[in-house]
Amino acid sequence: METPSRYQVNTTSFDYYWKKGAGRSLLQQLGYIPDIRNADSFKRYLMEWDRDGDTVVQKLYNQLGFATAHAALEAYLNKEEVSAEAAAVLDCFFSTFETNPSWLDHDKIDKGIELSQRSGIPGLLVLRNYCLMGGYESAAINKPLIYTGALKKGAAKRLTETTLFWIGITRTGTFKEGGHGLFQVLSTRLIHAYSRVSILEKTDWDTAQWGVPLNIWDMLATQLGFSLVFLTGLRRMGFRPSAEETDGLFHLWKYIGYLLGIPLELLPENEPEAIEALYYWTMTQSKGDADSVALAQALISETVTSGFPKSIWARRLMQQLHLFYNYFFLGTYSCRLLQIPKPVVGNIAYFFLWRLRRLERKMSEATFRAKAVRDGGARQARALEIYLKYKRF
């Protein structure tokens, strides 16, 4: 198996991240610099993918149509009647993994969900301006977005879909009996498979250069974005997650990653393992390209071109705040690579950070923390309502 040409030691954005950016503190926390030669053991995953998901797409989605097949998946999970054809395909698919594996700890899942909820609106800012925007620094991982028309569909649609997914899997009890978390994750897994099958069948995708679209290693990188990078962003804003919350967050995303089809042996158990995994992936990425810049610019413009808030001046102010957080999380070096303009009035966000850090000091009080979880989760739900109303298309 030949290694895709994208696999090369990074000497620009991510190299800077680990030497002078936010990654430097992660390496100090780890206590050593991982040996980049160890990344060679992972590169084969650039050519491996979720074959079980693709089988469902080919035998069900491509036969019945996307909407009908997706409805069959939801009905199957709800133990409702589905056609014999759909049942046969889904029975086979669900035999390849466990929805309730022996290692799953729901108490840890709850702690990870609570941290996600109490992060409130700041958590959504981290996801948008650090996890999502920072991911554009890699040319390779974003190529499936280009091939599926993400730029034409607009940043608002992707933001809405990402927010809908994230909030759906971070609600209380979502992975317990009667919750919707399982459907959220598995439907996303099959959307990925559907996109991959379509890209390979209908486009001029260059596997020799980019590897398989939505391959296993890039899926792991996405999982690390929602876990380690998200956690790093929260800490940078002033959150001080407890050891239980941190452990819970990684357990939550281990389970989600497993359901998404990532091999269990690749999924980090804890923060040190996650730091190593992120180092190996980022440090073997080709730098961003014109598509990276285009995706970044689309995300910047989305705030002004969307329909919320109604006032254009309020939208421009919100754009300035997002630009502030881009620089706050990513730093000047990365922002220049993505051609992100400097904020003019975004520094007002410093007051917001000061207030957040002040409130975090009270989080050891059980009553205060419980209220923060409730209020933060409610604010996130309201934000999703805004996305669905104003930013869906």
Side-chain angles (χ1 to χ4, degrees):
M1 182 185 298
E2 292 190 13
T3 302
S5 59
R6 63 175 276 187
Y7 184 83
Q8 53 189 267
V9 176
N10 187 281
T11 58
T12 54
S13 55
F14 291 118
D15 183 58
Y16 188 93
Y17 173 83
W18 292 105
K19 289 180 178 177
K20 297 182 179 180
R24 184 178 179 183
S25 62
L26 290 179
L27 290 181
Q28 290 174 343
Q29 179 182 331
L30 188 62
Y32 59 91
I33 299 175
D35 188 341
I36 190 61
R37 291 173 296 183
N38 292 335
D40 284 347
S41 65
F42 294 92
K43 64 183 179 182
R44 65 186 178 91
Y45 292 106
L46 293 172
M47 299 296 288
E48 295 187 12
W49 67 96
D50 176 20
R51 289 175 170 83
D52 295 320
D54 284 18
T55 298
V56 176
V57 168
Q58 291 158 348
K59 291 186 175 181
L60 192 64
Y61 280 67
N62 286 353
Q63 303 303 317
L64 302 181
F66 185 91
T68 301
H70 224 48
L73 171 66
E74 186 168 21
Y76 183 93
L77 284 169
N78 291 334
K79 297 180 173 57
E80 299 170 1
E81 186 176 351
V82 297
S83 68
E85 179 186 15
V89 174
L90 292 172
D91 281 344
C92 185
F93 175 59
F94 277 84
S95 72
T96 63
F97 63 97
E98 299 176 84
T99 57
N100 190 30
S102 59
W103 49 263
L104 183 62
D105 186 329
H106 279 287
D107 289 337
K108 288 184 178 181
I109 292 286
D110 290 345
K111 289 298 181 183
I113 286 175
E114 287 172 8
L115 172 61
S116 301
Q117 288 192 26
R118 82 172 181 86
S119 71
I121 299 302
L124 297 183
L125 291 172
V126 171
L127 289 171
R128 176 189 176 121
N129 298 304
Y130 191 24
C131 306
L132 183 58
M133 185 67 89
Y136 291 152
E137 288 190 67
S138 165
I141 197 173
N142 296 301
K143 282 296 175 262
L145 289 173
I146 302 301
Y147 275 78
T148 53
L151 277 175
K152 292 182 180 178
K153 294 174 184 176
K157 187 174 187 298
R158 189 185 183 206
L159 272 173
T160 301
E161 291 170 347
T162 302
T163 306
L164 185 64
F165 167 73
W166 188 82
I167 288 181
I169 58 175
T170 56
R171 299 305 91 181
T172 304
T174 193
F175 289 110
K176 295 178 180 176
E177 189 70 28
H180 298 288
L182 199 58
F183 174 71
Q184 288 280 356
V185 178
L186 294 178
S187 63
T188 298
R189 176 176 176 175
L190 294 177
I191 289 171
H192 289 161
Y194 188 86
S195 298
R196 177 171 46 251
V197 170
S198 297
I199 289 171
L200 292 175
E201 289 182 352
K202 301 175 182 178
T203 75
D204 60 349
W205 178 269
D206 188 350
T207 301
Q209 181 176 6
W210 304 116
V212 176
L214 295 155
N215 61 72
I216 293 296
W217 206 12
D218 285 347
M219 289 302 301
L220 176 61
T222 300
Q223 190 263 12
L224 292 169
F226 281 112
S227 55
L228 176 62
V229 179
F230 177 69
L231 178 66
T232 303
L234 290 185
R235 286 176 175 156
R236 184 149 173 71
M237 291 196 84
F239 284 89
R240 293 295 176 263
S242 67
E244 278 188 329
E245 288 177 323
T246 300
D247 190 36
L249 184 69
F250 282 105
H251 192 74
L252 169 66
W253 281 97
K254 175 186 176 181
Y255 181 51
I256 293 169
Y258 168 74
L259 293 176
L260 285 172
I262 301 173
L264 196 56
E265 65 271 15
L266 287 182
L267 294 165
E269 292 277 353
N270 49 49
E271 192 168 0
E273 290 182 7
I275 294 172
E276 271 207 15
L278 185 66
Y279 185 86
Y280 294 137
W281 185 84
T282 54
M283 284 300 293
T284 53
Q285 292 298 304
S286 54
K287 64 181 181 180
D289 58 10
D291 288 335
S292 301
V293 174
L295 287 166
Q297 297 306 309
L299 184 57
I300 292 168
S301 299
E302 180 277 332
T303 310
V304 173
T305 57
S306 70
F308 183 87
K310 291 185 178 181
S311 165
I312 182 62
W313 297 108
R315 296 202 298 274
R316 290 192 184 282
L317 176 59
M318 188 176 292
Q319 182 184 58
Q320 289 295 311
L321 291 174
H322 286 311
L323 291 175
F324 167 86
Y325 284 113
N326 289 147
Y327 274 82
F328 180 75
F329 291 125
L330 299 175
T332 301
Y333 185 88
S334 292
C335 286
R336 284 177 178 169
L337 290 178
L338 293 172
Q339 298 180 26
I340 300 173
K342 284 188 175 181
V344 179
V345 296
N347 287 348
I348 190 174
Y350 275 118
F351 173 77
F352 179 61
L353 292 172
W354 172 82
R355 183 176 180 276
L356 190 156
R357 291 167 180 172
R358 184 167 173 268
L359 292 174
E360 189 68 9
R361 296 172 193 161
K362 301 180 180 179
M363 213 54 66
S364 58
E365 301 173 16
T367 303
F368 187 87
R369 181 181 177 279
K371 185 176 185 302
V373 171
R374 288 194 307 271
D375 292 351
R379 292 188 185 103
Q380 291 169 350
R382 286 197 293 273
L384 177 59
E385 290 175 3
I386 291 171
Y387 272 103
L388 291 173
K389 184 175 181 180
Y390 295 100
K391 299 172 180 273
R392 193 163 192 168
F393 303 106

